[in-house]
Amino acid sequence: MQELRVNNTHKFFLMNCEKMNISHPKYLFVHEKQDYLLIQKDETTFKRQPSEHRRLMNRINKNVILALLTLTSSAFLLFQLYYYKHYLSAKNGAGLSKSKGSRIGFDSIQWRAVKKFIMLTSSQNVPVFLIDPLILELINKNLEQVKNTSHGSTSECNFFCVPRDFTAFALQYHLWKNEEGWFRIAENMGFQCLKIESKDPRLDGIDSLSGTEIPLHYICKLATHAIHVVVFHERSGNYLWHGHLRLKGHIDKKFVPFRKLQFGRHPGAFDRPELQQITVDGLEVLIPKDPMHFLEEIPHSRFIECRYKEARAFFQQYLDDSTVEAVAFRKSAKELLQLAAKTLKKLGVRFWLSSGTCLGWYRQCSIIPYSKDVDLGIFIQDYRSNIISAFQDAGLPLKHKFGKVSNKSLLYFVEDSLELSFQGKDDVKLDIFFFYEETDHTWNGGTQAKTGKKFKYDSDKYLQKGL
């Protein structure tokens, strides 16, 4: 048997083991290159333990390490579940239920901000309806399900709890009876509110009224979520208009992330929507009856204001025609224009004011009374084979058609400049000119009804695109 001498370190180690009441000590002595399992022979001499015992001890040590790793992993997993439940669920609106039957996600800041805002507007009779594109799109995808949801029956927050910085509502300003005190009550409920005003563009050029400001936007913030109230003003053409959100010098630019606002980058105009009341995430809200139509309007809602100041200057130099005939013509022309717009919208055809009608809008904010017709422009690629029958069904018979359009493999192409003319009531005519895009310019044709003489009108491409 090979003997190993014991130094003072070994003796110290043995003494400690004796104090710990180890009756048959077996010691693992760690060396740089190998380990030895030593068994006491006498006070100063040890012998090597056989190799099978050494393997047994190695296996025991590995099991201990594996158990420690398993315990650590389990503790980390429990921490992740706790963190998700108490922090991430409130942030993302997808919380875990705290107990059986609890309502999921209703502790999110988004839902609580919307709930308080609806309580505020309901108590103060503020005529608002939901116009937030993200929420409306989600509602539209599940519209029938949402319609069948009763108040208080919702167990999970699916709409107002989605992550976002703002929720947008429209305020029908012409129906608002009590604006006074609204800010004070909102602040008492915990909101921080900002009111943005600007001049009414329709009063531009009227010395006594041109400085009059009207409310355009309200932003009310609760914690990290903000309600954007877009003020819709009624216009005489039976549509709703909202203004541009311009930040004045005294406004805190860091109040909210203004760049993320869905409305206010430019003035906008919308058809007056029919509204319906539904329950969304347990809250009673008004939304457009046709959410998809409103959503489709948003990308094309930019409004170009008439030049009121220049128009007033024009009429100071050239008196406006206010005869009975001129007033009657303008009325009939506007009705014809509205009917044409409605018909083309059903067909999904883009159009713009053209020729004399466009000139009247730009120069004098009105229809030129001696023009005797309404002119519209359409790109030839937007031509529809049923466009003539659609106008005839609307009560506008075809008066004449100039030019040709053919169909090869369902692709329409022009053989000649196309122009359509429909007869409206009171001898007011609707002329539709089709425009053709070339590489560097746009053109449209014109034909004299009496002589058949043709004309071609060129315009810069970028100018036409801007209309």
Side-chain angles (χ1 to χ4, degrees), residues 178-232:
N178 183 23
E179 183 180 358
E180 298 298 329
W182 186 76
F183 260 34
R184 178 180 51 80
I185 297 173
E187 290 173 350
N188 290 339
M189 295 179 68
F191 284 103
Q192 293 177 276
C193 291
L194 178 68
K195 181 179 181 180
I196 298 173
E197 296 179 308
S198 188
K199 297 177 181 179
D200 189 338
R202 295 171 296 181
L203 304 179
D204 194 15
I206 302 179
D207 295 336
S208 60
L209 298 174
S210 59
T212 303
E213 292 195 337
I214 57 175
L216 298 180
H217 298 267
Y218 295 94
I219 298 177
C220 293
K221 183 172 67 172
L222 182 68
T224 59
H225 192 71
I227 306 296
H228 180 199
V229 182
V230 185
V231 182
F232 277 22

Side-chain angles (χ1 to χ4, degrees), residues 83-96:
Y83 182 80
Y84 178 82
K85 179 178 180 180
H86 291 275
Y87 295 95
L88 294 183
S89 63
K91 182 178 180 182
N92 296 329
L96 300 174

Side-chain angles (χ1 to χ4, degrees), residues 122-164:
S122 297
S123 64
Q124 299 300 307
N125 295 318
V126 184
V128 297
F129 61 94
L130 182 69
I131 59 171
D132 191 274
L134 176 61
I135 309 302
L136 280 183
E137 186 174 353
L138 291 174
I139 291 174
N140 187 65
K141 290 179 180 178
N142 305 274
L143 189 56
E144 292 304 318
Q145 178 183 349
V146 173
K147 286 181 178 180
N148 295 327
T149 302
S150 59
H151 181 71
S153 66
T154 305
S155 61
E156 186 171 354
C157 186
N158 296 314
F159 304 97
F160 287 129
C161 296
V162 296
R164 63 200 185 282

Side-chain angles (χ1 to χ4, degrees), residues 235-336:
R235 290 288 184 99
S236 59
N238 197 35
Y239 65 93
L240 301 177
W241 169 91
H242 72 79
H244 186 192
L245 195 158
R246 288 190 176 95
L247 298 180
K248 298 181 179 180
H250 67 279
I251 295 178
D252 181 7
K253 306 300 190 297
K254 296 181 180 180
F255 181 69
V256 291
F258 289 99
R259 292 181 180 274
K260 295 184 180 181
L261 290 173
Q262 296 285 343
F263 299 89
R265 294 188 181 95
H266 48 70
F270 292 85
D271 293 336
R272 185 191 303 273
E274 185 178 354
L275 303 177
Q276 62 177 334
Q277 183 169 308
I278 60 173
T279 301
V280 181
D281 294 335
L283 303 175
E284 298 287 342
V285 295
L286 286 172
I287 68 168
K289 193 170 184 179
D290 186 353
M292 196 63 222
H293 175 69
F294 185 86
L295 290 170
E296 290 173 346
E297 282 190 292
I298 294 176
H300 311 289
S301 63
R302 183 167 186 169
F303 186 82
I304 302 176
E305 197 72 62
C306 172
R307 306 188 315 158
Y308 293 104
K309 186 176 183 178
E310 288 77 5
R312 292 186 176 96
F314 175 82
F315 286 123
Q316 287 179 356
Q317 186 174 2
Y318 306 98
L319 293 179
D320 188 14
D321 188 350
S322 57
T323 61
V324 175
E325 293 79 6
V327 172
F329 168 75
R330 288 194 182 102
K331 181 176 181 297
S332 298
K334 289 180 180 179
E335 292 174 352
L336 178 59

Side-chain angles (χ1 to χ4, degrees), residues 34-176:
Q34 57 183 338
D35 54 19
Y36 302 100
L37 191 62
L38 306 179
I39 298 178
Q40 185 177 6
K41 179 180 179 183
D42 52 37
E43 289 184 359
T44 60
T45 308
F46 288 78
K47 67 178 182 179
R48 295 178 185 272
Q49 179 73 0
S51 59
E52 59 267 22
H53 292 285
R54 185 166 63 250
R55 287 195 298 269
L56 177 60
M57 291 302 296
N58 288 338
R59 190 178 301 113
I60 292 174
N61 290 332
K62 290 179 180 178
N63 290 338
V64 171
I65 293 173
L66 181 60
L68 289 173
L69 289 175
T70 302
L71 181 62
T72 304
S73 300
S74 300
F76 182 70
L77 179 60
L78 290 173
F79 172 78
Q80 285 184 312
L81 291 174
Y82 177 86
Y83 182 80
Y84 178 82
K85 179 178 180 180
H86 291 275
Y87 295 95
L88 294 183
S89 63
K91 182 178 180 182
N92 296 329
L96 300 174
S97 53
K98 298 180 180 178
S99 60
K100 185 175 180 181
S102 65
R103 306 207 315 163
I104 301 174
F106 289 90
D107 56 348
S108 72
I109 184 61
Q110 293 92 341
W111 184 83
R112 287 189 287 112
V114 173
K115 179 184 178 182
K116 277 198 170 185
F117 177 75
I118 291 176
M119 291 172 57
L120 169 65
T121 55
S122 297
S123 64
Q124 299 300 307
N125 295 318
V126 184
V128 297
F129 61 94
L130 182 69
I131 59 171
D132 191 274
L134 176 61
I135 309 302
L136 280 183
E137 186 174 353
L138 291 174
I139 291 174
N140 187 65
K141 290 179 180 178
N142 305 274
L143 189 56
E144 292 304 318
Q145 178 183 349
V146 173
K147 286 181 178 180
N148 295 327
T149 302
S150 59
H151 181 71
S153 66
T154 305
S155 61
E156 186 171 354
C157 186
N158 296 314
F159 304 97
F160 287 129
C161 296
V162 296
R164 63 200 185 282
D165 295 294
F166 297 92
T167 301
F169 286 84
L171 166 63
Q172 302 180 82
Y173 191 73
H174 58 286
L175 299 178
W176 197 7

Side-chain angles (χ1 to χ4, degrees), residues 323-384:
T323 61
V324 175
E325 293 79 6
V327 172
F329 168 75
R330 288 194 182 102
K331 181 176 181 297
S332 298
K334 289 180 180 179
E335 292 174 352
L336 178 59
L337 185 56
Q338 289 178 349
L339 180 58
K342 183 178 179 181
T343 303
L344 292 172
K345 184 173 291 186
K346 286 183 179 179
L347 295 173
V349 174
R350 300 174 299 168
F351 71 96
W352 60 88
L353 302 183
S354 182
S355 305
T357 305
C358 183
L359 175 62
W361 167 82
Y362 181 79
R363 186 180 66 186
Q364 56 205 70
C365 296
S366 185
I367 295 176
I368 301 174
Y370 52 81
S371 60
K372 304 304 180 184
D373 59 15
V374 173
D375 303 313
L376 299 181
I378 297 175
F379 285 120
I380 189 60
Q381 59 265 31
D382 291 329
Y383 175 82
R384 302 287 188 272

